[in-house]
Structure formats: C-alpha cells, structure tokens
Amino acid sequence: MIIFPEGFLWGAATAAYQIEGAAREDGRVPSIWDTFSHTPGKVRDGHTGDVACDHYHRYAEDVALMRELGLRAYRFSIAWPRFGTPGFGFYDRLLDELLEAGITPVATLYHWDLPQSLQDGGGWLDRDTAYRFAEYAAGAYERLGDRVATWTTLNEPWVSAFVGHGSGRHAPGVGDPAAAFTAAHHLMLAHGLAVQALRAAGAGSVSITLNLAPILGDEEPARLVDGLCNRIFLDPLLRGVYPEDVLAHLRRFTDVKLDDLETIHQPIDVLGVNYYSPKHVRTDPEAPGHPEHPGTEGIAFVDPDGPVTAMGWGINPECLESLLVRLSREYPGTPLLITENGAAFEDTVTGDDRVHDTDRVAFLDAHVRAAHAAIAQGADLRGYFVWSLLDNFEWAHGYHKRFGLVYVDYETQRRIRKDSFHWYRDVIAANGLR
Ligand SMILES: OC[C@@H]1[C@@H](O)[C@H](O)[C@@H](O)c2nc(CNc3ccccc3)cn21
C-alpha cells in the first residue's frame, strides 16, 4: 500500500472559459479567448467556449459528481469577464454548493480570459493591466473571500506570455519575442500586486500556479531552456531576483522596466505546479529556434521517444518525481501542490455507456506513485489535482482533446463517468494506492 499524509488534498481542476459557457449571459463581457476563438483559423473547427460544458447552469450536477468522487478540494477559475456583472453571483452559488458538499474551494483569479477591453488598452504589454488585475483581485476577495480557502493569482504565466505573445498560438495571438518577455514581467508584477491586495484584504492563503517541466537532453541548451521556462518565473517569485543568465538573454529582446522584483517577491503560502511532460532539446546548428522560447536558434526541440498522450506529450512520471524533489531542494520552504496533472487520450463510449480509459488510469496511477516517491524524498507536497474533472474546451484544439475523469457528450451535455473516475474515487477513499 502507498499511503499519503493525513489530510492530503485530493482534488480536480477546471477553468472558467473551458467549462462555463454562458459567454454572454448576465452581463459577461468578451475576453481575449472569445475574440480569439471567434477568429477564423485560430481554433480547430472553429470551436468556441460559447457553450462549453454549460457548467454555468449545470454546476450543481457537477458538484454532485465531485461529491461522488469524494474530492477534498476543487480548483476552478473565476472569470474576470464576469467581475462587476450580475453573473458574478454564479460564484456565490458555486461556492455555497461546494461548501455544502464539504469540498475545499481553490480559486484561480486568472486562467487566461483577459477582458478584451483591457487587451484593447494594451493587455499584458501595458504595465497598467497589472494594476487593474490587483483591483480585480481585491474586489473578488471582498465578494468571495469568506468562502475561498486558497487564492491562486495566475495560472501558468509562461503560457500567457510565450504561447499568447511568443508564438501567438493562444490568445491574444501576438507573435513577438520582445512582447513575450514584456508580458511575462507584467504578469509577475500583476501577481505581486495582487498578493499585496489580497493580504491587505485579509487573505490567509495565496499562491501562483506555474507549468514546470524538466528539460532533458544536451546540457547547454537544456540549461538555457530551463531558464526560459522555469527559472524565469521561479527565481523572481521565490527568490526576488531574475537569474543572471535569463536577464542577459531577455535584455536581447526588451528594455522593459524590470525593477519590480520587491513587489513580485511576495511571500506565498503554496506553489501550484502543473506538470504534464518534460521537454526534450538538443544542439542543432540548423535549428531555427522555437517562437515560444525566444532566442533558441541552434536548439532543436525534439519529440519524445516512447509512449505519448493524444496531445503528443511524452509520458514520463519519473520527471514529476525529479521536478518535485528539485523544487523542494532549490526553493525550500514553499509547500507544493500539484494543481494539474492528467492526460488526453482517445475516449470512446461503449454500448454499456461506459468509457474504459485504461490509458488514463495507467497515466494517473504512475504519476500519483511518482508524487508519493517525491514525498518520501522530502518534498512538502500538500495535494494533487487531476486535470480535469470534465472533458472541456481544450484551447486551440477545441473539443477534440478529452482530459476529463467525466466524459461530456457536447450534443446533449450528458456526463458519463469514465473508469478513471471510479479509480480516482477509490484512491481518494484509501488516501493512496494498493
Ligand atoms: O492542456 C491541458 C491543460 C489545459 O487545459 C489547462 O487549461 C492549462 O492550465 C494547461 N497547461 C498545460 C501545460 N502547459 C501548456 C503548454 C503549452 C500550451 C498549453 C499548455 C496543460 N494544460
């Protein structure tokens, strides 16, 4: 038996734009993802989050599924585009339902759905947006702070900055390396200002969630890419400095004001870690570089050998173990939460209305074991959140990639529990694995 510490926070995660739908209901204003998904060619088959899983209306049914799982916690995001509108009352209803079910709410303030009106004013390339975010954070706390246990400021600033502004594969669809670094800095400033605002309002537990990945391959390119993906955020947020190598690198692209490190370096109570897969690099003088890793000419990003998920991401639970151990040793004193781990596979509904997602069960089983191995090596890991509770809108892939413990039939909005749902329910009940 593998038993986790008493009180280990078993959860599942979602995000507003990916599940809520009701895109224009009760005053919700457009976000950059409404604009992006409605722009032809940006999202596969023109899918949008207009309806998604209709969670805005079906939240009680979905909380009942969480209760059936025995979730200790639920990680969701608050839609900034609903703040200040009648629709913000949805979060009162959701929180009341969660607390009634004995489920601890972990709320992300920003999971990529920037109001389009702020984008029109420059978005994350404008320093002012960081201050607008802190105001929103304070306002959300005022309305919901009595029921949210942990506040997470940002989900994956690397994706917002480098996928949204480097390659432009995500909203707002900018393709400019200087913009990517500038956005990254302003996002971290936004985090720092929001933590200050949340603390001033009385928040007890604040965090940020980073997508972190071990970089495998040739040493020199791996070190640079580790800097561009991981240390560029970890060091300012947890040490209050930009790593020298990263600073020198980003100065090739932008002269953005960077002396906000004291604001950025706010103490946090827990670091959220989203882990899916490592990255693989090798030196290749012919390589053109990768737009989501600016300045990587001469570095090839190679596909993993071995088993992959439906996203083409390598399956490597050992790297979760090594990542958690590294974080606990290089950034000691900050408890960790795995805020996302999961996999997309080709799910099919069988005649008996079941989804036998054996690949997903195997993926989750291996990663839960890796998390336990990291704890055994001293990692202060407090919880594990599966991405995702429900199949949902998978950004540029639309509804073609399914990550859920629950299958969603988008034609009927019917929810179908996958085998992984039952597997995870048993893990939670046992607080571990056989
Ligand atoms: O792709 C699965 C999930 C996604 O649905 C979540 O909204 C997001 O938080 C999330 N982050 C990653 C890992 N990082 C990543 C890298 C490049 C593009 C998009 C995500 C995976 N996922």
Side-chain angles (χ1 to χ4, degrees):
M1 270 302 277
I2 286 180
I3 300 293
F4 281 75
E6 184 65 32
F8 192 74
L9 210 58
W10 296 103
T14 64
Y17 190 74
Q18 296 181 267
I19 67 166
E20 286 181 5
R24 302 311 299 261
E25 204 152 321
D26 299 334
R28 181 182 178 279
V29 298
S31 75
I32 57 175
W33 266 98
D34 294 276
T35 305
F36 195 75
S37 64
H38 282 268
T39 304
K42 299 298 184 186
V43 176
R44 189 174 159 193
D45 289 343
H47 289 174
T48 75
D50 287 357
V51 177
C53 306
D54 193 32
H55 179 72
Y56 186 82
H57 300 108
R58 298 168 188 266
Y59 67 94
E61 175 187 357
D62 294 333
V63 173
L65 286 166
M66 298 177 211
R67 185 199 283 260
E68 189 182 332
L69 273 169
L71 290 189
R72 303 290 188 257
Y74 172 57
R75 175 178 180 248
F76 64 100
S77 82
I78 294 166
W80 194 348
R82 295 194 197 277
F83 182 66
T85 77
F88 202 72
F90 165 72
Y91 299 104
D92 290 309
R93 297 191 294 276
L94 175 63
L95 285 166
D96 292 344
E97 204 73 22
L98 289 168
L99 295 178
E100 172 63 29
I103 298 168
T104 298
V106 176
T108 302
L109 283 160
Y110 183 69
H111 201 122
W112 307 351
D113 48 356
L114 183 73
Q116 183 61 44
S117 58
L118 289 174
Q119 181 62 33
D120 296 342
W124 292 114
L125 300 184
D126 186 317
R127 190 181 168 81
D128 251 12
T129 302
Y131 292 84
R132 301 295 75 75
F133 178 67
E135 289 161 2
Y136 154 56
Y141 183 86
E142 194 181 319
R143 277 289 299 271
L144 309 172
D146 59 330
R147 287 156 284 164
V148 169
T150 291
W151 291 87
T152 301
T153 54
L154 305 175
N155 179 71
E156 301 188 345
W158 181 85
V159 175
S160 300
F162 292 94
V163 186
H165 297 79
S167 63
R169 188 160 59 96
H170 276 197
V174 172
D176 171 0
F181 286 115
T182 299
H185 183 74
H186 289 161
L187 280 152
M188 283 194 280
L189 174 61
H191 161 79
L193 292 169
V195 171
Q196 289 176 328
L198 289 164
R199 296 288 194 206
S205 176
V206 296
S207 71
I208 185 170
T209 275
L210 303 177
N211 57 299
L212 298 171
I215 314 299
L216 307 178
D218 295 344
E219 187 178 343
E220 199 174 312
R223 178 73 183 159
L224 171 61
V225 174
D226 177 62
L228 294 177
C229 296
N230 300 323
R231 292 182 288 115
I232 190 172
F233 293 105
L234 286 166
D235 285 26
L237 293 166
L238 300 179
R239 293 178 176 168
V241 291
Y242 270 103
E244 280 307 314
D245 60 335
V246 171
L247 197 55
H249 190 90
L250 71 81
R251 276 299 178 221
R252 289 170 44 195
F253 297 93
T254 176
D255 57 2
V256 66
K257 179 172 175 289
L258 291 178
D259 51 10
D260 301 296
L261 275 297
E262 200 175 317
T263 304
I264 293 170
H265 185 213
Q266 296 297 315
I268 57 174
D269 300 280
V270 62
L271 175 68
V273 178
N274 289 357
Y275 171 78
Y276 289 86
S277 185
K279 291 180 181 176
H280 301 256
V281 296
R282 63 176 165 75
T283 300
D284 172 1
E286 303 302 308
H290 192 304
E292 292 166 13
H293 308 78
T296 53
E297 293 75 15
I299 296 176
F301 290 75
V302 297
D303 291 336
D305 42 30
V308 296
T309 69
M311 297 291 279
W313 297 348
I315 299 175
N316 195 319
E318 301 75 26
C319 278
L320 173 59
E321 178 186 344
S322 63
L323 171 64
L324 295 171
V325 171
R326 172 196 179 183
L327 291 171
S328 64
R329 290 178 182 161
E330 294 183 14
Y331 303 90
T334 303
L336 304 172
L337 264 185
I338 296 172
T339 35
E340 287 179 29
N341 177 245
F345 292 105
E346 296 305 324
D347 293 326
T348 49
V349 182
T350 57
D352 60 348
D353 231 17
R354 300 291 299 272
V355 177
H356 300 303
D357 56 337
T358 48
D359 287 344
R360 185 171 292 104
V361 170
F363 179 98
L364 296 174
D365 184 283
H367 286 78
V368 166
R369 290 175 192 277
H372 190 268
I375 293 172
Q377 297 171 73
D380 182 5
L381 181 66
R382 303 290 176 88
Y384 175 88
F385 289 71
V386 172
W387 183 270
S388 177
L389 174 74
L390 303 171
D391 292 341
N392 58 52
F393 176 77
E394 180 48 39
W395 308 113
H397 296 278
Y399 296 99
H400 291 282
K401 302 297 179 187
R402 294 177 178 273
F403 279 85
L405 295 168
V406 176
Y407 183 97
V408 176
D409 176 341
Y410 296 108
E411 297 297 315
T412 64
Q413 289 297 352
R414 198 157 62 93
R415 275 78 163 135
I416 300 171
R417 299 159 186 78
K418 302 179 188 177
D419 289 358
S420 56
F421 177 99
H422 303 292
W423 171 86
Y424 194 47
R425 181 198 56 199
D426 295 347
V427 168
I428 297 171
N431 193 31
L433 288 159
R434 281 172 188 69

